[in-house]
Amino acid sequence: MTTTARTPRARGSAGPLVIRGGRRRPSSPRGRRSATLTAVAAIMLVYTLLPLAWLVINATKTQEGLFGSFGLWFDSDFALFRNIAATFTYDGGIFTRWLLNTVLYVLAGAGGATLLATVAGYGLAKFDFPGKKAVFAIVIGAVAVPGTALAVPTFLMFAGLGLTDTPWAIIIPSLVSPFGLYLMWTYAADAVPDEILESARVDGAREFQTFFRISLPLLAPGIVTVLLFAVVATWNNYFLPLIMLKDPAWYPLTLGLNRWNAQASTAGSEAIFNLVITGSLLTIVPLVAAFLLLQRYWQSGLAAGSVKE
């Protein structure tokens, strides 16, 4: 017969009673598992990874193999490297031009949007000025307005300025990121303590020195988070280039791949679905690499401000 000894519980203690020597112990809340949550997580995992698996598998097939084999399994003719080479050389190597255009739009548009959001968000969080509440209301209202609702007015304005069918028609609208501004505003309010700024000012540091030497390192997780959102939004931007650009030489990858995909419905044109799929796979590789490399900054940036002391 097994004897058990109960550890006396301190008065006022809210913790569970531990029984030493017994066979049964209360399960820890961290060790509990929910079958429903596990099933939901599994469904979401399949929903997320299945299109990616389909894309990877079908990028290894020829044009004939796409229609002559099962979609979720490989064909006998492994043509991944041939498809990649054909993607970069088809139509005079226009895919490379589209890739460079997309990189240009991301560096100038997403990079500029992150810079502006960082500077403006820091200023709104750490400085008081007349009309600050009105600016806050405008930013919140701008976040709620979808980008498609502003596409036609933006096109009319740029057409009047003669900037349509130029890279500026994509770069300049990408510089405006109300969500990034709001995110940096709320992040800077908690990430940069006012006491540190006051100490730096007492020591004689100027505002620019304080920002670059003290505040900027503290804002790094938030900056990376805003940068990732801006990069994804600019990289996957489709509707704005669709209405702004006519010259295929300035197309981004999204618009260029759609043009290749539309060739199948054009009389006398060649269907190149294998190149469209391979190009789509090559398009998401930089985004996946960016998320994997900056994942730790991104996670810490999302968690900032969630715990109050």
Side-chain angles (χ1 to χ4, degrees), residues 21-22 25 48 97 105 120 134 147 161 187 197 207 240 247 274 290 305:
R25 295 190 180 189
T48 304
R97 177 65 183 265
Y105 300 149
L161 296 174
Y187 184 82
L197 300 180
E207 292 298 336
L240 183 64
D247 187 0
N274 60 323

Side-chain angles (χ1 to χ4, degrees), residues 211-234:
F211 175 73
F212 286 104
R213 296 185 179 182
I214 298 176
S215 302
L216 201 60
L218 297 176
L219 294 174
I223 294 173
V224 173
T225 303
V226 174
L227 178 63
L228 283 174
F229 282 118
V231 167
V232 172
T234 307

Side-chain angles (χ1 to χ4, degrees), residues 53-79:
W54 183 92
L55 187 65
V56 173
I57 292 173
N58 286 275
T60 65
K61 301 178 182 180
T62 62
Q63 177 71 19
E64 295 76 15
L66 287 174
F67 301 96
S69 62
F70 180 58
L72 290 177
W73 195 246
F74 298 92
D75 191 28
S76 57
D77 187 6
F78 189 84

Side-chain angles (χ1 to χ4, degrees), residues 105-145:
Y105 300 149
V106 167
L107 291 179
T114 304
L115 176 62
L116 294 177
T118 301
V119 175
Y122 174 79
L124 290 170
K126 294 304 175 182
F127 296 94
D128 292 325
F129 54 89
K132 185 175 180 179
K133 293 184 178 180
V135 174
F136 179 79
I138 293 174
V139 172
I140 294 298
V143 172
V145 176

Side-chain angles (χ1 to χ4, degrees), residues 7 21 45 47 50 64 77 140 153 157 171 177 186 245 247 266 289 303:
T7 302
L45 181 64
Y47 176 79
L50 188 61
E64 295 76 15
D77 187 6
I140 294 298
M157 180 177 63
I171 294 175
S177 177
T186 56
L245 302 176
D247 187 0
T266 305

Side-chain angles (χ1 to χ4, degrees), residues 1-124:
M1 180 177 180
T2 303
T3 60
T4 62
R6 296 178 180 267
T7 302
R9 188 192 309 186
R11 181 174 298 178
S13 174
L17 189 62
V18 180
I19 303 177
R20 301 184 182 277
R23 297 181 180 179
R24 300 181 60 184
R25 295 190 180 189
S27 59
S28 172
R30 296 182 179 180
R32 295 176 182 174
R33 296 182 179 179
S34 172
T36 303
L37 292 180
T38 302
V40 171
I43 294 174
M44 292 301 299
L45 181 64
V46 173
Y47 176 79
T48 304
L49 296 181
L50 188 61
L52 181 61
W54 183 92
L55 187 65
V56 173
I57 292 173
N58 286 275
T60 65
K61 301 178 182 180
T62 62
Q63 177 71 19
E64 295 76 15
L66 287 174
F67 301 96
S69 62
F70 180 58
L72 290 177
W73 195 246
F74 298 92
D75 191 28
S76 57
D77 187 6
F78 189 84
L80 176 62
F81 300 106
R82 281 179 288 163
N83 287 340
I84 294 176
T87 300
F88 282 100
T89 57
Y90 183 79
D91 196 13
I94 192 64
F95 182 85
T96 303
R97 177 65 183 265
W98 294 338
L99 178 61
L100 294 177
N101 291 342
T102 305
V103 173
L104 171 64
Y105 300 149
V106 167
L107 291 179
T114 304
L115 176 62
L116 294 177
T118 301
V119 175
Y122 174 79
L124 290 170

